[in-house]
Amino acid sequence: MIDFEKIRSSFPILDVKVNDNKLVYFDNAATTQTPTQVTNSIRDYFNKQNSNIHRGVHHLSNISTEDFEQSRKKVKEFIGAEKEEEIVFTKGTTDSINLVATSFQKFLKSGDEILISEMEHHSNIVPWQLCAEKTGAKLKVVSVTKEGEIDIDHLEKLLNKKTKILSITHISNTLGTINPITEITKLARKFDTKVFIDGAQAIAHQKVNVTELDVDFYCFSAHKLYGPTGVGILYGKEEILEKLPPYQGGGEMIEMVTFEKTTYAKLPSKFEAGTPNISGVIALSKAIEFIEDINLGLIFEYEAMLLNHYNEKSNKLEYYEPFGTSLNKSAIASFNLKKVHHYDIGVLLDNMGVAVRTGHHCTQPLHKKFNLAGTIRASFGIYNTKNEIDYFFDCLSRAYKMLY
Amino acid sequence: MTSVEKVQNEIVEELSLFSDWIEKYEYLIELGKDEIDFNKKFMKDEFLINGCQSKVWLYAKQKNSKITFHAYSDAIMTKGIIALLIKVFSNQSPDDIINSKLEFIDKIGLKSHLSATRANGLMSMIKQIKIYAIGFKEKNG
Ligand SMILES: Cc1ncc(COP(=O)(O)O)c(C=O)c1O
């Protein structure tokens, strides 16, 4: 059982008032709120142990280095990786993707192919476009069906021995669709295609095990995992990370520097140039503890129940037009209301205290394919309730009546 | 008082009758639903204003020594805001437009209900209106 009172009380921000209304925070796909366990950790870090890591001999540096590496261990266990060397700290999902899309250029030549899908976030499109431009590789795009699922037949058609890497989102931040990663990976393996998974939307909402998924790369952001902004994770299989050249140069990532030649540090330091977001990385481990205390299995069930309740309500509105109707969905609902602009709805909801996202949610090509200028997106987290969903629908029909 | 200021004061007075934001928004929505004088042939990218979450097209014409503005948006609330701007700026002289201060936006309490990106959109609209005025002034010599 989830101790709901305890969870809510860890998030003081949920008591914020907007326009005299209680805040209803339904923008969890953009960023999740941070519990006091996380914010206290950041405060304590700066009050008690702020120092640079891996370099000093002094007391503060030692404890910070220890906590930092402890956090790496925690992430490793959390995602079921085999070794700590496989966990690279980055700035976020976007940074993780850019790292691989840059370093992987070493293995690409003109005529090779990179495969992504139509439902990708701009972060999982643009770095690959840059990579293709640099190397002469071609960017191929797998179609999405009208339900909002990856067209597996099309994926099979596009995969071939020139496909060097495939990069697909685990869960779509717009459609909510949970993609069949195991199935996709199996198909990719036939051609020795490397598999990169954007786990930004998955990591806080279901148990992820990178070893079981058998992917080569997996990445996510701490700020969508009840952790702080500015911290991300790149998981990569050791044998592949070993072969990739460094992404950025600087302190920490070297073994020996001379003006003639520099030798690089071992994994994972090779990919961690410069002073990292130390307090953020340490706080991330508190976010993971917070989630593990609740249990990801229960979180998944709870959020599925929320989505179910949401769908029962939305099905009753004849003017509700859902975007993304896969049966295999995470707790993300994008939609439009007939004949009104998403922006108008967003403004009115905002004034009623409901925080949703409006626009294209960084998936312009996906919206364009379905001829949508934009949508409204409600996305749920562990602290949301059925009551909030009821209030949301009250506000939605009020807004619709005002506009239509 | 210039006539731009006069219209602004009238708007502020009219909106001050409303006690809460819902009534203000309802008023904007009503304005947004009104028929407007906009020729759809101007719905082209070159008349699109950047920086708005909803699409806004704007063009201007000169009638004698005055300028008229014509604008359209796909979002009703934005159309309502546009209608207010047009009330203020249409049928004014280029000089009055260029020299105008826009206090009414703060006074009607609209800005606090717009997010930063949306407020930016509004600012882009006003900027474009002034650019048109400067253009006409130069043309007239
Ligand atoms: C699926 C997906 N990929 C990538 C990102 C980018 O994440 P970040 O901005 O934390 O780098 C997001 C978040 O907006 C996302 O939802």
Tab-separated table of all heavy atoms in Angstrom, chain A residues 19 21 339-348 350-352 358-359 373 398-399 401-404, chain B residues 21-23 25-26 29-30 33 53-55 73-79 81 112-115 118:
chain	number	residue	atom	x	y	z
A	19	ASN	N	-3.638	31.984	-8.056
A	19	ASN	CA	-4.888	32.717	-8.218
A	19	ASN	C	-5.924	32.301	-7.176
A	19	ASN	O	-7.097	32.085	-7.500
A	19	ASN	CB	-5.451	32.387	-9.606
A	19	ASN	CG	-5.726	33.634	-10.390
A	19	ASN	OD1	-5.563	34.728	-9.885
A	19	ASN	ND2	-6.137	33.462	-11.621
A	21	ASN	N	-6.403	29.501	-6.017
A	21	ASN	CA	-6.765	28.085	-6.132
A	21	ASN	C	-5.575	27.237	-5.721
A	21	ASN	O	-4.434	27.640	-5.889
A	21	ASN	CB	-7.099	27.717	-7.587
A	21	ASN	CG	-8.268	28.489	-8.106
A	21	ASN	OD1	-9.382	28.349	-7.618
A	21	ASN	ND2	-8.017	29.352	-9.085
A	339	LYS	N	-12.793	22.343	-31.827
A	339	LYS	CA	-13.016	23.725	-32.265
A	339	LYS	C	-12.480	24.804	-31.332
A	339	LYS	O	-12.810	25.976	-31.484
A	339	LYS	CB	-14.504	23.979	-32.519
A	339	LYS	CG	-15.018	23.151	-33.671
A	339	LYS	CD	-16.306	23.689	-34.201
A	339	LYS	CE	-16.698	22.945	-35.455
A	339	LYS	NZ	-18.138	22.723	-35.546
A	340	VAL	N	-11.695	24.447	-30.342
A	340	VAL	CA	-11.058	25.522	-29.574
A	340	VAL	C	-9.547	25.331	-29.623
A	340	VAL	O	-9.051	24.237	-29.814
A	340	VAL	CB	-11.543	25.613	-28.111
A	340	VAL	CG1	-13.033	25.817	-28.034
A	340	VAL	CG2	-11.135	24.388	-27.329
A	341	HIS	N	-8.857	26.435	-29.441
A	341	HIS	CA	-7.406	26.405	-29.559
A	341	HIS	C	-6.779	25.918	-28.246
A	341	HIS	O	-7.211	26.334	-27.164
A	341	HIS	CB	-6.912	27.815	-29.891
A	341	HIS	CG	-5.519	27.863	-30.426
A	341	HIS	ND1	-4.424	27.851	-29.597
A	341	HIS	CD2	-5.042	27.877	-31.693
A	341	HIS	CE1	-3.319	27.888	-30.342
A	341	HIS	NE2	-3.679	27.910	-31.623
A	342	HIS	N	-5.765	25.078	-28.363
A	342	HIS	CA	-5.130	24.535	-27.147
A	342	HIS	C	-4.627	25.638	-26.227
A	342	HIS	O	-4.646	25.515	-25.009
A	342	HIS	CB	-4.000	23.571	-27.524
A	342	HIS	CG	-2.969	24.160	-28.449
A	342	HIS	ND1	-1.920	24.907	-27.998
A	342	HIS	CD2	-2.851	24.134	-29.797
A	342	HIS	CE1	-1.185	25.290	-29.022
A	342	HIS	NE2	-1.726	24.844	-30.133
A	343	TYR	N	-4.192	26.722	-26.832
A	343	TYR	CA	-3.650	27.830	-26.051
A	343	TYR	C	-4.723	28.474	-25.164
A	343	TYR	O	-4.488	28.784	-23.995
A	343	TYR	CB	-3.043	28.852	-27.017
A	343	TYR	CG	-2.805	30.216	-26.457
A	343	TYR	CD1	-1.654	30.487	-25.723
A	343	TYR	CD2	-3.716	31.238	-26.672
A	343	TYR	CE1	-1.434	31.756	-25.208
A	343	TYR	CE2	-3.497	32.504	-26.167
A	343	TYR	CZ	-2.357	32.766	-25.436
A	343	TYR	OH	-2.134	34.016	-24.935
A	344	ASP	N	-5.919	28.654	-25.737
A	344	ASP	CA	-7.020	29.243	-24.959
A	344	ASP	C	-7.336	28.386	-23.736
A	344	ASP	O	-7.550	28.901	-22.637
A	344	ASP	CB	-8.277	29.382	-25.832
A	344	ASP	CG	-8.147	30.524	-26.842
A	344	ASP	OD1	-7.480	31.520	-26.515
A	344	ASP	OD2	-8.710	30.409	-27.948
A	345	ILE	N	-7.381	27.087	-23.941
A	345	ILE	CA	-7.652	26.173	-22.822
A	345	ILE	C	-6.534	26.285	-21.773
A	345	ILE	O	-6.791	26.361	-20.570
A	345	ILE	CB	-7.722	24.713	-23.326
A	345	ILE	CG1	-8.915	24.532	-24.260
A	345	ILE	CG2	-7.798	23.735	-22.157
A	345	ILE	CD1	-10.235	24.485	-23.567
A	346	GLY	N	-5.314	26.290	-22.257
A	346	GLY	CA	-4.171	26.355	-21.349
A	346	GLY	C	-4.205	27.593	-20.458
A	346	GLY	O	-3.968	27.516	-19.256
A	347	VAL	N	-4.525	28.739	-21.053
A	347	VAL	CA	-4.571	29.992	-20.287
A	347	VAL	C	-5.645	29.917	-19.206
A	347	VAL	O	-5.431	30.296	-18.049
A	347	VAL	CB	-4.861	31.195	-21.220
A	347	VAL	CG1	-5.062	32.463	-20.404
A	347	VAL	CG2	-3.717	31.386	-22.206
A	348	LEU	N	-6.824	29.398	-19.591
A	348	LEU	CA	-7.913	29.339	-18.612
A	348	LEU	C	-7.599	28.338	-17.500
A	348	LEU	O	-7.820	28.623	-16.321
A	348	LEU	CB	-9.234	28.991	-19.314
A	348	LEU	CG	-9.749	30.080	-20.266
A	348	LEU	CD1	-11.027	29.624	-20.965
A	348	LEU	CD2	-10.023	31.379	-19.513
A	350	ASP	N	-4.718	27.465	-16.449
A	350	ASP	CA	-3.674	28.074	-15.631
A	350	ASP	C	-4.277	28.993	-14.577
A	350	ASP	O	-3.893	28.967	-13.410
A	350	ASP	CB	-2.699	28.846	-16.532
A	350	ASP	CG	-1.676	29.629	-15.729
A	350	ASP	OD1	-1.153	29.065	-14.752
A	350	ASP	OD2	-1.405	30.784	-16.058
A	351	ASN	N	-5.239	29.799	-14.997
A	351	ASN	CA	-5.861	30.710	-14.051
A	351	ASN	C	-6.710	30.005	-13.004
A	351	ASN	O	-7.061	30.581	-11.988
A	351	ASN	CB	-6.697	31.755	-14.794
A	351	ASN	CG	-5.812	32.882	-15.288
A	351	ASN	OD1	-5.435	33.749	-14.526
A	351	ASN	ND2	-5.425	32.833	-16.547
A	352	MET	N	-7.054	28.750	-13.275
A	352	MET	CA	-7.807	27.973	-12.279
A	352	MET	C	-6.861	27.130	-11.421
A	352	MET	O	-7.294	26.302	-10.628
A	352	MET	CB	-8.811	27.070	-13.002
A	352	MET	CG	-9.848	27.833	-13.819
A	352	MET	SD	-10.877	26.696	-14.773
A	352	MET	CE	-11.735	27.797	-15.864
A	358	THR	N	0.911	23.210	-22.945
A	358	THR	CA	0.221	23.377	-24.221
A	358	THR	C	1.264	23.635	-25.296
A	358	THR	O	2.328	24.183	-25.015
A	358	THR	CB	-0.749	24.578	-24.218
A	358	THR	OG1	-0.005	25.753	-23.931
A	358	THR	CG2	-1.840	24.415	-23.213
A	359	GLY	N	0.968	23.219	-26.511
A	359	GLY	CA	1.902	23.438	-27.606
A	359	GLY	C	2.284	22.131	-28.259
A	359	GLY	O	1.464	21.215	-28.345
A	373	ALA	N	-1.750	21.711	-34.728
A	373	ALA	CA	-0.910	22.873	-34.420
A	373	ALA	C	-0.319	22.710	-33.027
A	373	ALA	O	0.713	23.269	-32.695
A	373	ALA	CB	-1.742	24.142	-34.487
A	398	ARG	N	-15.648	23.932	-17.651
A	398	ARG	CA	-15.880	25.368	-17.452
A	398	ARG	C	-15.178	26.186	-18.538
A	398	ARG	O	-15.756	27.085	-19.135
A	398	ARG	CB	-15.337	25.793	-16.093
A	398	ARG	CG	-16.403	26.125	-15.096
A	398	ARG	CD	-15.799	26.326	-13.729
A	398	ARG	NE	-15.301	27.668	-13.496
A	398	ARG	CZ	-14.400	27.967	-12.553
A	398	ARG	NH1	-13.907	27.013	-11.792
A	398	ARG	NH2	-13.993	29.197	-12.397
A	399	ALA	N	-13.922	25.831	-18.799
A	399	ALA	CA	-13.143	26.558	-19.808
A	399	ALA	C	-13.796	26.392	-21.179
A	399	ALA	O	-13.917	27.350	-21.943
A	399	ALA	CB	-11.706	26.039	-19.826
A	401	LYS	N	-16.897	25.809	-21.889
A	401	LYS	CA	-18.130	26.603	-21.962
A	401	LYS	C	-17.826	28.084	-22.184
A	401	LYS	O	-18.544	28.776	-22.890
A	401	LYS	CB	-18.941	26.415	-20.687
A	401	LYS	CG	-19.739	25.130	-20.726
A	401	LYS	CD	-20.890	25.121	-19.738
A	401	LYS	CE	-21.396	23.703	-19.540
A	401	LYS	NZ	-20.785	23.056	-18.346
A	402	MET	N	-16.771	28.557	-21.550
A	402	MET	CA	-16.404	29.966	-21.743
A	402	MET	C	-15.994	30.227	-23.189
A	402	MET	O	-16.244	31.293	-23.730
A	402	MET	CB	-15.226	30.343	-20.829
A	402	MET	CG	-15.630	30.624	-19.395
A	402	MET	SD	-14.170	30.886	-18.337
A	402	MET	CE	-13.696	32.565	-18.791
A	403	LEU	N	-15.362	29.236	-23.793
A	403	LEU	CA	-14.777	29.476	-25.114
A	403	LEU	C	-15.708	29.147	-26.257
A	403	LEU	O	-15.562	29.671	-27.356
A	403	LEU	CB	-13.491	28.641	-25.271
A	403	LEU	CG	-12.330	29.082	-24.401
A	403	LEU	CD1	-11.279	28.003	-24.342
A	403	LEU	CD2	-11.744	30.382	-24.923
A	404	TYR	N	-16.633	28.235	-25.986
A	404	TYR	CA	-17.402	27.749	-27.128
A	404	TYR	C	-18.831	28.222	-27.099
A	404	TYR	O	-19.462	28.226	-26.070
A	404	TYR	CB	-17.336	26.205	-27.155
A	404	TYR	CG	-17.851	25.676	-28.457
A	404	TYR	CD1	-17.195	25.979	-29.642
A	404	TYR	CD2	-19.010	24.915	-28.498
A	404	TYR	CE1	-17.676	25.513	-30.856
A	404	TYR	CE2	-19.492	24.443	-29.712
A	404	TYR	CZ	-18.829	24.758	-30.884
A	404	TYR	OH	-19.305	24.317	-32.074
B	21	TRP	N	-10.834	37.906	-12.587
B	21	TRP	CA	-10.208	37.578	-13.866
B	21	TRP	C	-11.159	36.841	-14.795
B	21	TRP	O	-11.084	36.996	-16.002
B	21	TRP	CB	-8.930	36.750	-13.626
B	21	TRP	CG	-9.202	35.357	-13.177
B	21	TRP	CD1	-9.312	34.928	-11.901
B	21	TRP	CD2	-9.416	34.212	-14.015
B	21	TRP	NE1	-9.595	33.601	-11.873
B	21	TRP	CE2	-9.657	33.130	-13.157
B	21	TRP	CE3	-9.440	33.994	-15.404
B	21	TRP	CZ2	-9.927	31.849	-13.624
B	21	TRP	CZ3	-9.705	32.712	-15.865
B	21	TRP	CH2	-9.945	31.663	-14.982
B	22	ILE	N	-12.079	36.046	-14.239
B	22	ILE	CA	-12.991	35.286	-15.100
B	22	ILE	C	-13.805	36.254	-15.956
B	22	ILE	O	-13.954	36.070	-17.158
B	22	ILE	CB	-13.929	34.384	-14.264
B	22	ILE	CG1	-13.094	33.297	-13.604
B	22	ILE	CG2	-15.037	33.802	-15.139
B	22	ILE	CD1	-13.780	31.999	-13.356
B	23	GLU	N	-14.305	37.311	-15.303
B	23	GLU	CA	-15.107	38.277	-16.064
B	23	GLU	C	-14.269	38.984	-17.136
B	23	GLU	O	-14.732	39.213	-18.244
B	23	GLU	CB	-15.710	39.318	-15.109
B	23	GLU	CG	-16.838	38.739	-14.273
B	23	GLU	CD	-17.450	39.772	-13.339
B	23	GLU	OE1	-16.914	40.892	-13.239
B	23	GLU	OE2	-18.468	39.439	-12.707
B	25	TYR	N	-11.682	37.752	-18.616
B	25	TYR	CA	-11.427	36.803	-19.694
B	25	TYR	C	-12.661	36.577	-20.547
B	25	TYR	O	-12.569	36.444	-21.760
B	25	TYR	CB	-10.909	35.472	-19.118
B	25	TYR	CG	-9.409	35.480	-18.935
B	25	TYR	CD1	-8.731	36.656	-18.662
B	25	TYR	CD2	-8.660	34.323	-19.055
B	25	TYR	CE1	-7.366	36.697	-18.499
B	25	TYR	CE2	-7.286	34.343	-18.894
B	25	TYR	CZ	-6.642	35.530	-18.624
B	25	TYR	OH	-5.288	35.562	-18.481
B	26	GLU	N	-13.807	36.546	-19.874
B	26	GLU	CA	-15.038	36.391	-20.643
B	26	GLU	C	-15.211	37.545	-21.621
B	26	GLU	O	-15.629	37.354	-22.758
B	26	GLU	CB	-16.245	36.267	-19.701
B	26	GLU	CG	-16.423	34.827	-19.258
B	26	GLU	CD	-17.434	34.647	-18.132
B	26	GLU	OE1	-17.773	35.647	-17.461
B	26	GLU	OE2	-17.862	33.509	-17.925
B	29	ILE	N	-12.860	36.988	-24.435
B	29	ILE	CA	-13.351	35.924	-25.306
B	29	ILE	C	-14.471	36.451	-26.204
B	29	ILE	O	-14.513	36.164	-27.394
B	29	ILE	CB	-13.823	34.717	-24.454
B	29	ILE	CG1	-12.608	34.054	-23.807
B	29	ILE	CG2	-14.592	33.714	-25.296
B	29	ILE	CD1	-12.937	33.087	-22.679
B	30	GLU	N	-15.375	37.260	-25.591
B	30	GLU	CA	-16.447	37.857	-26.400
B	30	GLU	C	-15.858	38.719	-27.525
B	30	GLU	O	-16.262	38.631	-28.674
B	30	GLU	CB	-17.389	38.702	-25.527
B	30	GLU	CG	-18.326	37.877	-24.668
B	30	GLU	CD	-18.927	36.681	-25.408
B	30	GLU	OE1	-19.472	36.867	-26.516
B	30	GLU	OE2	-18.825	35.546	-24.882
B	33	LYS	N	-14.554	36.646	-30.239
B	33	LYS	CA	-15.532	35.968	-31.102
B	33	LYS	C	-16.145	36.914	-32.140
B	33	LYS	O	-16.768	36.478	-33.088
B	33	LYS	CB	-16.655	35.370	-30.242
B	33	LYS	CG	-16.235	34.107	-29.499
B	33	LYS	CD	-17.377	33.602	-28.627
B	33	LYS	CE	-16.943	32.372	-27.851
B	33	LYS	NZ	-17.944	31.997	-26.848
B	53	GLN	N	2.479	32.006	-28.878
B	53	GLN	CA	2.164	30.573	-28.796
B	53	GLN	C	1.081	30.198	-29.788
B	53	GLN	O	1.048	29.108	-30.317
B	53	GLN	CB	1.685	30.223	-27.391
B	53	GLN	CG	2.781	29.682	-26.525
B	53	GLN	CD	2.302	28.565	-25.624
B	53	GLN	OE1	1.178	28.084	-25.730
B	53	GLN	NE2	3.184	28.147	-24.742
B	54	SER	N	0.183	31.151	-30.011
B	54	SER	CA	-0.810	30.935	-31.051
B	54	SER	C	-0.374	31.772	-32.245
B	54	SER	O	0.432	32.667	-32.109
B	54	SER	CB	-2.175	31.381	-30.548
B	54	SER	OG	-2.057	32.640	-29.930
B	55	LYS	N	-0.937	31.450	-33.410
B	55	LYS	CA	-0.507	32.196	-34.598
B	55	LYS	C	-1.199	33.539	-34.673
B	55	LYS	O	-2.395	33.650	-34.434
B	55	LYS	CB	-0.831	31.387	-35.856
B	55	LYS	CG	0.070	30.189	-35.992
B	55	LYS	CD	-0.075	29.553	-37.358
B	55	LYS	CE	1.048	28.574	-37.571
B	55	LYS	NZ	0.736	27.592	-38.616
B	73	SER	N	-6.021	35.786	-35.284
B	73	SER	CA	-5.320	34.717	-34.585
B	73	SER	C	-6.185	33.464	-34.559
B	73	SER	O	-7.424	33.551	-34.622
B	73	SER	CB	-4.990	35.114	-33.151
B	73	SER	OG	-4.487	33.987	-32.460
B	74	ASP	N	-5.535	32.296	-34.465
B	74	ASP	CA	-6.305	31.055	-34.377
B	74	ASP	C	-6.795	30.791	-32.954
B	74	ASP	O	-7.617	29.916	-32.727
B	74	ASP	CB	-5.504	29.863	-34.930
B	74	ASP	CG	-4.084	29.811	-34.398
B	74	ASP	OD1	-3.697	30.699	-33.622
B	74	ASP	OD2	-3.356	28.877	-34.770
B	75	ALA	N	-6.306	31.560	-31.979
B	75	ALA	CA	-6.795	31.400	-30.616
B	75	ALA	C	-7.706	32.572	-30.257
B	75	ALA	O	-7.408	33.721	-30.561
B	75	ALA	CB	-5.630	31.341	-29.634
B	76	ILE	N	-8.822	32.278	-29.626
B	76	ILE	CA	-9.830	33.313	-29.361
B	76	ILE	C	-9.320	34.389	-28.407
B	76	ILE	O	-9.519	35.579	-28.626
B	76	ILE	CB	-11.093	32.680	-28.737
B	76	ILE	CG1	-11.832	31.882	-29.808
B	76	ILE	CG2	-12.021	33.764	-28.191
B	76	ILE	CD1	-13.181	31.427	-29.351
B	77	MET	N	-8.673	33.923	-27.334
B	77	MET	CA	-8.223	34.880	-26.337
B	77	MET	C	-7.215	35.857	-26.951
B	77	MET	O	-7.230	37.046	-26.663
B	77	MET	CB	-7.575	34.120	-25.196
B	77	MET	CG	-7.765	34.759	-23.891
B	77	MET	SD	-8.964	33.894	-22.908
B	77	MET	CE	-8.095	32.391	-22.613
B	78	THR	N	-6.362	35.306	-27.797
B	78	THR	CA	-5.390	36.163	-28.473
B	78	THR	C	-6.118	37.148	-29.380
B	78	THR	O	-5.756	38.324	-29.454
B	78	THR	CB	-4.428	35.303	-29.310
B	78	THR	OG1	-3.992	34.218	-28.502
B	78	THR	CG2	-3.243	36.098	-29.789
B	79	LYS	N	-7.161	36.655	-30.041
B	79	LYS	CA	-7.954	37.534	-30.902
B	79	LYS	C	-8.571	38.673	-30.096
B	79	LYS	O	-8.669	39.815	-30.560
B	79	LYS	CB	-9.073	36.742	-31.582
B	79	LYS	CG	-8.882	36.577	-33.088
B	79	LYS	CD	-9.984	35.730	-33.682
B	79	LYS	CE	-10.979	36.548	-34.470
B	79	LYS	NZ	-12.250	35.834	-34.674
B	81	ILE	N	-7.320	39.971	-27.342
B	81	ILE	CA	-6.254	40.935	-27.009
B	81	ILE	C	-5.929	41.797	-28.227
B	81	ILE	O	-5.764	43.016	-28.130
B	81	ILE	CB	-4.996	40.194	-26.502
B	81	ILE	CG1	-5.326	39.518	-25.167
B	81	ILE	CG2	-3.826	41.146	-26.343
B	81	ILE	CD1	-4.243	38.605	-24.646
B	112	SER	N	-0.240	40.181	-15.770
B	112	SER	CA	0.042	39.237	-14.690
B	112	SER	C	-0.605	37.882	-14.967
B	112	SER	O	-0.253	36.884	-14.348
B	112	SER	CB	-0.461	39.801	-13.371
B	112	SER	OG	-1.856	39.976	-13.437
B	113	HIS	N	-1.547	37.854	-15.877
B	113	HIS	CA	-2.177	36.573	-16.213
B	113	HIS	C	-1.539	35.910	-17.427
B	113	HIS	O	-1.929	34.845	-17.839
B	113	HIS	CB	-3.674	36.753	-16.456
B	113	HIS	CG	-4.421	36.991	-15.197
B	113	HIS	ND1	-4.541	36.037	-14.221
B	113	HIS	CD2	-5.057	38.086	-14.731
B	113	HIS	CE1	-5.229	36.526	-13.206
B	113	HIS	NE2	-5.545	37.770	-13.492
B	114	LEU	N	-0.579	36.603	-17.982
B	114	LEU	CA	0.104	36.013	-19.131
B	114	LEU	C	1.459	35.499	-18.679
B	114	LEU	O	2.145	36.145	-17.903
B	114	LEU	CB	0.328	37.077	-20.208
B	114	LEU	CG	-0.921	37.682	-20.827
B	114	LEU	CD1	-0.542	38.863	-21.701
B	114	LEU	CD2	-1.666	36.658	-21.652
B	115	SER	N	1.841	34.326	-19.148
B	115	SER	CA	3.164	33.828	-18.800
B	115	SER	C	4.205	34.646	-19.565
B	115	SER	O	3.872	35.405	-20.463
B	115	SER	CB	3.280	32.366	-19.181
B	115	SER	OG	3.278	32.247	-20.578
B	118	ARG	N	4.042	34.325	-23.232
B	118	ARG	CA	2.868	34.961	-23.806
B	118	ARG	C	2.996	36.469	-23.770
B	118	ARG	O	2.611	37.162	-24.706
B	118	ARG	CB	1.619	34.498	-23.069
B	118	ARG	CG	1.280	33.094	-23.462
B	118	ARG	CD	0.455	32.395	-22.445
B	118	ARG	NE	0.313	30.995	-22.826
B	118	ARG	CZ	-0.111	30.058	-22.013
B	118	ARG	NH1	-0.430	30.355	-20.780
B	118	ARG	NH2	-0.216	28.829	-22.437
